C-alpha cells in the first residue's frame, strides 16, 4: 500500500496549522527544520508510545508538512519546506519563530519544555 502524500496544490492551511498546533508535532517540525536533510523517524526524542508517535507522523505527512520514504528497515522523513513556502509563503517560518522560546527563559535551555508548554 502506497503512503499518501498530498500534492502541493492540495495542501490546506487549516490542516497545516492544526498539525502544527500539537506540541509533539511542533517539536518534531522544529527538529526537522534545524536538520540538514532527511532523518529517520526513530532519531527524534519524542516521549510518547510508539502507537502515538505513529499517529503524529501520519498527521504531519497527511497535512503535507513532511514526506516519508522507506529506507531499508526505517522510514526517512523530511520537511516539505519548499512546498509549504510556495503554497503559504512565510507561514512555516512564522510559526517556528513564534514557537521559539525567548532567550533567558527556562524553556530556552530545554526546547522540549517549550513544546510541552504549548
Amino acid at each position: 500500500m502506497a503512503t499518501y502524500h498530498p500534492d502541493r496544490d492540495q495542501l490546506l492551511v487549516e490542516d497545516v496549522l492544526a498539525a502544527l498546533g500539537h506540541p509533539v508535532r511542533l517539536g518534531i517540525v522544529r527538529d526537522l527544520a534545524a536538520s540538514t536533510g532527511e532523518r529517520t523517524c526513530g532519531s527524534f526524542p519524542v516521549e510518547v508510545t510508539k502507537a502515538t508517535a505513529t499517529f503524529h507522523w501520519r498527521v504531519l505527512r497527511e497535512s503535507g508538512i513532511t514526506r516519508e520514504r522507506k529506507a531499508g528497515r526505517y522510514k526517512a522523513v523530511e520537511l516539505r519546506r519548499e512546498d509549504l513556502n510556495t503554497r503559504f509563503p512565510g507561514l512555516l517560518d512564522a510559526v517556528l519563530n513564534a514557537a521559539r522560546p525567548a532567550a533567558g527563559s527556562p524553556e530556552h535551555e530545554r526546547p522540549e519544555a517549550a513544546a510541552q508548554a504549548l
Side-chain angles (χ1 to χ4, degrees), residues 11-101:
L11 302 181
L12 301 174
V13 69
E14 56 270 29
D15 292 344
V16 171
L17 290 174
L20 293 172
H22 191 280
V24 169
R25 293 189 293 264
L26 181 59
I28 290 169
V29 172
R30 288 173 66 189
D31 283 351
L32 270 173
S35 299
T36 59
E38 62 184 26
R39 291 176 51 186
T40 61
C41 293
S43 70
F44 292 86
V46 293
E47 296 183 17
V48 296
T49 65
K50 185 175 180 179
T52 301
T54 298
F55 168 76
H56 288 306
W57 285 114
R58 182 174 53 87
V59 170
L60 289 170
R61 179 178 39 80
E62 291 182 354
S63 67
I65 296 172
T66 62
R67 181 173 309 280
E68 295 176 2
R69 69 172 184 83
K70 285 284 191 185
R73 295 182 9 207
Y74 304 98
K75 269 194 240 178
V77 63
E78 66 180 339
L79 186 62
R80 292 179 61 182
R81 183 181 289 276
E82 183 179 332
D83 287 340
L84 291 166
N85 285 339
T86 298
R87 183 85 166 127
F88 312 113
L91 177 68
L92 181 62
D93 288 334
V95 170
L96 292 174
N97 287 333
R100 186 170 293 135

